[in-house]
Amino acid sequence: MEPAGTIAALALAGVTPDQITHVVLTHMHPDHIGGLYGEGPTFPNAELVVPKLENDFWSTQDSAAYKAKVAPLIDKARQINAGDEILPGITAEAAYGHTPGHTTYLLSAGDQRLLLTGDSFNHYAFSVSRPEWKVLYDNDKDAAIVTRKAVLARLAADRIPFFGYHMPFPAVGFIADTGEGSYRFMPATYQFSV
Ligand SMILES: [Zn+2]
């Protein structure tokens, strides 16, 4: 993704890039960093927040996406660790496996919570109903399976709503436990009480 797509999506929400104060990365796959940098920084007033482990990894790889999108911004970026409250009510959590520093973020406000799951599970059917299946894009496939199972079990047990980057519209919903280590995506649109 290039910045134009990100800017167009923000415009639909009535937001201009200069209004963005923070950009927080779950990980540094190309489809998650492509909007950061074009002719210059896409978000000129924003602080970029990145998991330190993730940057440690990608900065040593021959990654064209990292070099084009993150490298120009990294000197001014804030590098964070799992467990850090990166902003009031936003806590970084380790979710390693998909990438070495893949990080989820728990948003809390009063008794309300929302988990940003990044790419902990990528497909709304396969990854959720069969979390033990290995995924092509997972860097450490066994670690990713452990993380995926843990994230899904927690979402189901605690009934935490989540936002998943690759989930179908509206990408926000819940995870229902269907038994024997298998789960189902329940889009928020079908939650009539929300
Ligand atoms: Zn990814």
Side-chain angles (χ1 to χ4, degrees):
M1 178 183 281
E2 290 299 314
T6 306
I7 293 168
L10 285 171
L12 288 173
V15 177
T16 55
D18 60 304
Q19 292 178 292
I20 301 295
T21 59
H22 297 83
V23 175
V24 182
L25 299 185
T26 57
H27 65 299
M28 294 182 180
H29 274 155
D31 55 328
H32 293 255
I33 60 176
L36 289 176
Y37 201 91
E39 303 279 309
T42 305
F43 307 103
N45 301 321
E47 179 183 41
L48 180 63
V49 180
V50 306
K52 181 177 184 303
L53 276 180
E54 187 72 0
N55 189 66
D56 287 349
F57 175 74
W58 288 105
S59 61
T60 63
Q61 304 297 302
D62 186 20
S63 163
Y66 178 90
K67 288 173 184 168
K69 305 297 183 177
V70 178
L73 303 169
I74 198 64
D75 284 349
K76 290 184 180 174
R78 175 155 51 116
Q79 299 194 34
I80 53 104
N81 297 298
D84 289 352
E85 185 175 18
I86 59 164
L87 289 163
I90 304 179
T91 303
E93 301 183 339
Y96 309 145
H98 179 65
T99 59
H102 182 264
T103 297
T104 56
Y105 295 93
L106 183 66
L107 279 60
S108 301
D111 60 356
Q112 292 191 307
R113 291 180 291 177
L114 178 72
L115 188 67
L116 308 187
T117 55
D119 283 358
S120 301
F121 44 93
N122 267 338
H123 193 277
Y124 73 99
F126 302 135
S127 305
V128 173
S129 63
R130 293 286 179 261
E132 74 277 17
W133 285 5
K134 292 183 177 177
V135 173
L136 176 66
Y137 302 107
D138 288 345
N139 181 282
D140 181 332
K141 292 176 175 43
D142 292 330
I145 288 168
V146 172
T147 292
R148 186 157 45 250
K149 287 180 174 179
V151 171
L152 290 167
R154 175 189 181 198
L155 289 172
D158 296 347
R159 299 186 180 184
I160 303 173
F162 77 98
F163 170 80
Y165 185 79
H166 293 287
M167 294 296 105
F169 182 85
V172 175
F174 293 83
I175 290 295
D177 188 343
T178 55
E180 298 179 358
S182 185
Y183 302 87
R184 187 152 53 103
F185 173 48
M186 303 288 291
T189 40
Y190 304 149
Q191 299 286 325
F192 295 108
S193 61
V194 170

